[in-house]
Amino acid sequence: MNPDDPLLKILACPLDKGPLHLLPTDALYNPRLRRRYPIVDGIPQLLPSSGEQVTDDGEHEELLKRMIP
């Protein structure tokens, strides 16, 4: 998935229905809930159970810096 993909404009977090941000590590990130969703073979895995909770404040800050606008 690339930053220009029109799909990014319509994808939403399955938990809060808010926008997701692309990370350069093939993942989507919801900074509001601190949840990271993987992208496997170009397909976002957006089931609530596939999301990973980011609990470390340092990791959260690093992910905020790496989000692709």
Side-chain angles (χ1 to χ4, degrees):
M1 185 168 271
N2 64 54
D4 299 327
D5 195 324
L7 186 61
L8 282 173
K9 293 182 177 165
I10 61 171
L11 289 178
C13 175
L15 298 176
D16 74 355
K17 311 300 187 238
L20 294 166
H21 301 276
L22 184 62
L23 296 173
T25 56
D26 280 336
L28 294 168
Y29 189 57
N30 177 342
R32 298 168 308 284
L33 299 180
R34 294 184 174 200
R35 291 195 61 86
R36 176 178 35 218
Y37 297 92
I39 299 172
V40 179
D41 295 328
I43 301 170
Q45 307 297 304
L46 294 178
L47 293 173
S49 61
S50 66
E52 175 187 28
Q53 190 70 38
V54 175
T55 57
D56 180 7
D57 287 337
E59 182 180 8
H60 171 70
E61 292 299 322
E62 185 62 31
L63 290 173
L64 290 177
K65 292 177 190 173
R66 294 175 37 209
M67 288 190 318
I68 298 173

